[in-house]
């Protein structure tokens, strides 16, 4: 198990280039399973979870050619369907939450799909019902082996239908969408997630020959086609990393420019950080964050304490609430953080309290942060990263804290952030990786 050793309290300066979006990558990398033709995808982040999915696809029989760092050609001409019932497949797929999204393309093209109960962050319940309910509506039959924790689904022919999701699940939408593009007839898909990741997947599928309309809304119409072809697709910059870097600049009083952010796809993210008092400027397609000695949390117009909560797009993404919470610890003022979607994502606050933060964990979903306004700096401690987003939040806290911090289990951070220690050192951070 590797760790980060960090000496905090240093002001950073420079430019950061954002990696490709992890959440988009895990979806669009499964789309080549829908065709036997070549699909080229660029701006793929070089991170653990994405590399695991690439390895899984290759083991399934997808021919993969690395053109350059971040750009690959995929060709799913000969898929070994028998491999999908082996113990090796179960082990590989179970280690990655994103593996669930191979099921929709396999079902659409080959009439059957298999997946073990996938792993991922321990951030609360993340049910798969939405995925399989959607497949069933398209005409598939589903089976779950509770003893083996193994899902299987099959259909002789998928048929278009009306689907109204009970939750706007991003991965559920992606999976059902990839199944529906090859279904016979028209699928009307209501309460679909409409995050930029889904918009990107829709555009990619259309460039492969699919007929999807209503992109960017929560009502998609899919006219099924008989087959799809190849395409070129470029992944968006990672909005979660962009928000993380805004928080990093504020916490460390640093002047940082975040390059090529695809501003039009950031939604409410910039304004949410502004409500914490953080100054940021749009410069072309870059975000410039000036060094700030202090920042003050906004209130509601009646003077009551601000509440920041997550919601499906175009609301604020749950993946950045932990960053907001950390940044608020050194602001002037108070804020209530309400994590509606996952009940275990705030459980890293005990580490921040140990560092000197003033936080009241009200329940598994809500925490009140009383900003210290830098009158009392955080102090370095030893801690363990519980998941990707909490891990990078603790990393930001450590970079702003006085003294030495050690963060264990950084493999969690590596799952979502590409070369994070190298990029931080280039800004002047005192951070090193130890075994």
């Amino acid at each position: 198990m590797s760790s980060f050793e960090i000496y905090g309290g240093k002001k950073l300066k420079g430019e950061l280039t954002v990696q490709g979006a992890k959440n988009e990558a895990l979806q669009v990398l499964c789309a080549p399973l829908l065709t036997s033709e070549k699909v080229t995808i660029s701006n793929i982040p070089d991170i653990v979870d994405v590399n695991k999915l690439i390895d899984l696809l290759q083991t399934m029989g997808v021919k993969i050619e690395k053109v350059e760092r971040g750009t690959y050609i995929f060709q799913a001409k000969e898929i070994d369907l028998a491999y999908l019932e082996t113990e090796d497949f179960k082990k590989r797929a179970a280690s990655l939450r994103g593996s669930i999204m191979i099921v929709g393309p396999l079902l659409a093209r080959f009439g059957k799909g298999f997946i073990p109960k996938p792993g991922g962050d321990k951030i609360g319940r993340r049910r798969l019902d939405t995925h399989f309910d959607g497949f069933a509506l398209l005409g598939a039959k589903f089976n779950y082996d509770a003893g083996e924790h193994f899902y299987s689904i099959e259909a002789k022919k998928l048929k278009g239908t009306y689907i109204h999701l009970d939750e706007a699940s991003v991965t559920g939408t992606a999976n059902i969408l990839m199944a529906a593009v090859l279904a016979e007839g028209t699928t009307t898909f209501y309460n679909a997630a409409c995050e930029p990741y889904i918009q990107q997947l829709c555009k990619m599928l259309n460039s492969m020959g699919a007929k999807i309309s209503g992109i960017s809304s929560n009502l998609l119409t899919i006219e099924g086609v008989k087959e799809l072809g190849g395409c070129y697709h470029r992944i968006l910059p990672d909005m979660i990393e962009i928000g993380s870097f805004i928080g990093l600049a504020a916490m460390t009083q640093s002047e940082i420019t975040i390059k090529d952010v695809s501003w039009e796809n950031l939604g409410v993210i910039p304004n949410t950080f502004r409500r914490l008092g953080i100054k940021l400027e749009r410069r072309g397609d870059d975000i410039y964050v000036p060094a700030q000695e202090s920042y003050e949390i906004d209130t509601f117009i009646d003077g009551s304490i601000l509440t920041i909560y997550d919601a499906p797009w175009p609301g604020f993404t749950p993946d950045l609430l932990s960053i907001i919470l950390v940044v608020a610890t050194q602001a002037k003022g108070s804020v209530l953080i309400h994590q509606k979607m996952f009940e275990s994502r705030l459980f890293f606050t005990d580490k921040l309290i140990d560092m000197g933060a003033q936080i009241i964990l009200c329940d598994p979903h809500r925490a009140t942060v009383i900003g210290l306004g830098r009158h009392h700096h955080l102090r370095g401690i030893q801690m363990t990263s519980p998941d990707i987003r909490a891990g990078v939040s603790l990393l930001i806290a450590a970079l702003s804290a006085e003294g030495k911090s050690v963060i264990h289990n950084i493999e969690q951070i590596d799952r979502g952030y590409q070369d994070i220690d190298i990029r931080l050192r280039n800004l002047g951070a005192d951070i090193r990786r130890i075994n």
Side-chain angles (χ1 to χ4, degrees):
M1 183 184 294
S2 299
S3 304
F4 281 143
E5 183 180 83
I6 303 140
Y7 289 88
K10 295 181 180 293
K11 293 185 179 181
L12 314 179
K13 187 171 183 177
E15 295 182 348
L16 282 164
T17 300
V18 183
Q19 70 184 30
K22 173 198 169 184
N23 290 343
E24 180 186 338
L26 294 175
Q27 296 174 23
V28 301
L29 288 179
C30 297
L33 292 169
L34 289 162
T35 179
S36 62
E37 295 187 16
K38 292 182 178 181
V39 175
T40 303
I41 304 175
S42 65
N43 204 28
I44 298 173
D46 185 9
I47 54 177
V48 171
D49 278 8
V50 171
N51 291 334
K52 276 187 176 183
L53 180 57
I54 291 172
D55 288 343
L56 177 64
L57 292 169
Q58 193 164 38
T59 310
M60 289 167 55
V62 180
K63 291 183 179 179
I64 301 176
E65 177 187 347
K66 185 175 182 179
V67 179
E68 58 185 16
R69 190 178 192 191
T71 302
Y72 291 79
I73 298 172
F74 301 83
Q75 188 171 22
K77 198 171 185 178
E78 297 178 0
I79 299 300
D80 183 1
L81 295 176
Y83 170 72
L84 301 177
E85 298 185 69
T86 66
E87 290 302 316
D88 185 69
F89 170 74
K90 292 177 183 179
K91 183 179 178 181
R92 287 175 183 266
S95 69
L96 176 66
R97 181 76 189 176
S99 63
I100 182 63
M101 283 178 288
I102 69 172
V103 178
L106 290 173
L107 179 64
R109 185 170 163 210
F110 300 105
K112 55 184 175 180
F114 306 92
I115 200 73
K117 186 177 181 180
D121 288 335
K122 305 303 181 185
I123 57 176
R125 292 173 297 166
R126 303 171 81 181
R127 60 190 178 90
L128 299 178
D129 300 53
T130 301
H131 300 248
F132 292 104
D133 287 347
F135 297 148
L137 288 170
L138 290 169
K141 293 183 179 179
F142 160 71
N143 180 64
Y144 175 57
D145 185 332
E148 292 288 327
H149 297 291
F150 195 66
Y151 301 84
S152 61
I153 193 157
E154 58 181 296
K156 290 183 179 179
K157 183 64 182 176
L158 297 178
K159 293 190 177 181
T161 187
Y162 175 79
I163 297 174
H164 188 146
L165 295 189
D166 63 345
E167 62 169 351
S169 164
V170 176
T171 55
T173 296
N175 223 349
I176 298 165
L177 184 62
M178 286 189 280
V181 291
L182 291 181
E184 184 181 282
T186 300
T187 299
T188 304
F189 196 165
Y190 197 51
N191 198 27
C194 53
E195 273 78 356
Y197 316 127
I198 294 294
Q199 296 175 38
Q200 284 284 99
L201 176 63
C202 288
K203 292 171 184 176
M204 178 184 181
L205 292 171
N206 278 352
S207 67
M208 294 170 71
K211 295 180 180 179
I212 305 168
S213 58
I215 299 171
S216 81
S217 77
N218 68 351
L219 177 59
L220 299 173
T221 302
I222 305 115
E223 295 179 35
V225 297
K226 291 185 177 180
E227 61 181 12
L228 296 178
C231 75
Y232 168 79
H233 179 78
R234 182 171 177 81
I235 293 172
L236 286 175
D238 196 313
M239 69 169 77
I240 312 306
E241 191 168 89
I242 292 165
S244 301
F245 290 153
I246 294 171
L248 168 70
M251 283 288 282
T252 58
Q253 299 174 281
S254 301
E255 180 184 351
I256 293 176
T257 299
I258 309 167
K259 302 292 291 181
D260 302 325
V261 299
S262 188
W263 183 281
E264 66 274 12
N265 287 296
L266 294 180
V268 299
I269 291 172
N271 281 339
T272 302
F273 280 98
R274 285 175 174 140
R275 297 212 73 177
L276 294 182
I278 298 169
K279 296 175 183 176
L280 56 92
E281 301 173 17
R282 179 178 183 177
R283 294 185 174 180
D285 203 31
D286 302 340
I287 292 177
Y288 170 72
V289 187
Q292 290 179 250
E293 287 191 12
S294 64
Y295 47 97
E296 186 171 353
I297 299 171
D298 198 2
T299 64
F300 289 121
I301 58 175
D302 63 355
S304 57
I305 292 175
L306 180 69
T307 299
I308 296 178
Y309 56 87
D310 58 335
W313 187 270
F316 190 70
T317 172
D319 285 342
L320 280 175
L321 271 185
S322 58
I323 302 292
I324 290 290
L325 189 150
V326 167
V327 172
T329 65
Q330 292 300 295
K332 294 179 181 177
S334 300
V335 62
L336 175 65
I337 305 297
H338 191 173
Q339 169 61 269
K340 295 182 178 181
M341 296 175 71
F342 302 106
E343 66 266 24
S344 302
R345 243 184 178 164
L346 298 180
F347 286 168
F348 75 103
T349 55
D350 59 331
K351 282 89 171 175
L352 295 174
I353 293 169
D354 288 345
M355 297 177 80
Q358 297 290 302
I359 303 170
I360 302 168
L361 187 60
C362 309
D363 55 45
H365 290 275
R366 296 177 301 157
T368 300
V369 184
I370 303 164
L372 300 174
R374 299 199 196 280
H375 295 302
H376 301 284
H377 292 283
L378 299 180
R379 56 182 175 269
I381 63 167
Q382 289 213 24
M383 47 194 157
T384 299
S385 171
D387 62 69
I388 300 173
R389 306 309 175 187
V392 82
S393 301
L394 294 173
L395 175 57
I396 291 170
L399 288 164
S400 72
E402 292 181 339
K404 174 184 171 181
S405 293
V406 177
I407 303 177
H408 302 295
N409 194 30
I410 60 171
E411 288 79 8
Q412 289 284 354
I413 300 173
D414 290 336
R415 288 175 52 215
Y417 292 82
Q418 176 178 307
D419 299 331
I420 187 67
D421 51 330
I422 297 172
R423 290 192 284 167
L424 290 173
R425 278 199 299 273
N426 289 339
L427 295 177
D430 190 345
I431 176 174
R432 68 188 184 100
R433 189 178 293 257
I434 57 176
N435 294 319

